[in-house]
Amino acid sequence: MVSFSDAVALVTGAGSGIGRAAALEFADRGASVVVADVDTEGSEETVAQIEDGGGDAIFVETDVTDPEATDSMVETAVDEFGRLDYAFNNAGIGGEQATVDRYDPDEWRAVIDVNLVGVFNCMRSELGRMQDQEEGGVIVNNSSVLGKVGFATSSGYSAAKHGVLGLTKSAALENGETGVRINAVCPGFIDTPLLAEGGMSSGSEAREQIESRHAMNRLGTPEEIANAVVWLCDDDASFVTGEALGVDGGYLSQ
Ligand code: NAP
């Protein structure tokens, strides 16, 4: 297992699902972890799990749609732990499911605001700090397979996730020589509360249909995404930047 001892990792949306799994994985490998989320209860549980495992973590209540909040999130990370090495910009929502002609405009804007503008706000706040560090840093953004293909009734979500890939690639070009690598993961459908809220609870017909779209005929686990995120942060991935890494059980191989 790669060691991240003395490193500091920040994870947004770490109070649940993929974010919590990533926070635990960073902590298992020795990093101090900043758990950033709007969900206080879930985040406190993540911090407790990290501390129970002998790790170090703090919760910073953060709404990623607010640029002042993301600035303050990074400032708190640095005040508390002295630096910021890795950031996993993961917070996201599923949003309304409706065809474009029936989509509520405010709901559409809300999905873009959290899933795309939120990632921009986080990167804007994180980059300055990482560029100033001699050791640089690594940013991983959470896109989706729906950042590469569409999905009927999820236009806002898919548009936001496509946008995250454009943002990732542009920032990677801007930072090629600053010592900051920037990549994205594109998970297939992962077994988390977000999926259950989208009508794909365990045993449902909708879920079986979704499972069958993956070559492996199953959903992924949050831990499988967390493993890809920490690999992208590790020096083993030192020549990887601007990449949109599919972690999707073959969803996009069809
Ligand atoms: P999840 O279990 O619902 O976790 C998302 C976390 O983000 C929740 O704690 C949520 O808080 C928080 N959050 C929501 N809005 C926020 C905001 N404005 N600021 C800060 N935190 C906020 O979902 P997940 O499935 O782990 O998803 C995590 C990421 O993976 C998302 O970006 C999602 O699009 C992406 N993803 C998921 C899948 C999948 O199949 N699950 C597939 C591909 C990509 P609340 O619960 O209070 O809203």
Side-chain angles (χ1 to χ4, degrees):
M1 187 190 274
V2 174
S3 172
F4 288 155
S5 54
D6 300 330
V8 179
L10 182 158
V11 181
T12 69
S16 178
I18 296 169
R20 174 178 288 164
L24 290 168
E25 193 60 40
F26 277 120
D28 270 0
R29 294 175 190 236
S32 301
V33 181
V34 179
V35 170
D37 203 304
V38 285
D39 174 4
T40 303
E41 203 181 318
S43 299
E44 284 172 351
E45 173 59 25
T46 304
V47 170
Q49 287 187 24
I50 289 173
E51 289 175 346
D52 285 351
D56 204 3
I58 54 162
F59 168 48
V60 184
E61 189 174 350
T62 310
D63 181 344
V64 297
T65 64
D66 175 1
E68 285 180 18
T70 58
D71 279 350
S72 148
M73 165 184 86
V74 170
E75 277 161 27
T76 306
V78 174
D79 285 350
E80 191 72 23
F81 294 124
R83 47 188 302 105
L84 176 62
D85 299 285
Y86 312 122
F88 180 36
N89 299 320
N90 159 80
I93 57 173
E96 184 179 297
Q97 287 189 293
T99 55
V100 172
D101 48 306
R102 288 164 191 257
Y103 217 112
D104 181 277
D106 290 336
E107 293 283 338
W108 207 89
R109 200 170 284 118
V111 180
I112 300 293
D113 207 20
V114 178
N115 292 6
L116 178 56
V117 179
V119 174
F120 165 77
N121 288 338
C122 290
M123 291 177 75
R124 199 189 128 275
S125 301
E126 293 151 1
L127 275 166
R129 174 67 209 183
M130 288 181 173
Q131 288 162 351
D132 285 348
Q133 290 176 173
E134 205 181 317
E135 303 82 353
V138 186
I139 293 175
V140 180
N141 296 323
N142 203 348
S143 177
S144 167
V145 287
L146 304 188
K148 293 185 172 180
V149 296
F151 193 87
T153 73
S154 288
S155 60
Y157 185 88
S158 179
K161 295 298 186 179
H162 275 75
V164 167
L165 296 187
L167 183 55
T168 301
K169 291 174 195 172
S170 301
L173 291 175
E174 291 166 5
N175 284 276
E177 295 180 279
T178 65
V180 183
R181 294 188 295 107
I182 301 148
N183 292 292
V185 283
C186 297
F189 286 74
I190 309 301
D191 197 2
T192 70
L194 182 139
L195 207 66
E197 281 159 23
M200 294 180 206
S201 53
S202 187
S204 67
E205 199 180 319
R207 180 161 164 149
E208 281 175 15
Q209 261 183 19
I210 284 295
E211 285 170 348
S212 71
R213 290 197 192 188
H214 300 74
M216 292 182 173
N217 198 26
R218 68 169 176 86
L219 302 185
T221 66
E223 291 73 23
E224 287 173 314
I225 307 309
N227 285 334
V229 171
V230 296
W231 178 76
L232 283 167
C233 290
D234 184 62
D235 279 349
D236 278 357
S238 57
F239 201 47
V240 183
T241 197
E243 175 62 20
L245 180 65
V247 191
D248 68 356
Y251 186 97
L252 290 177
S253 298
Q254 55 194 315

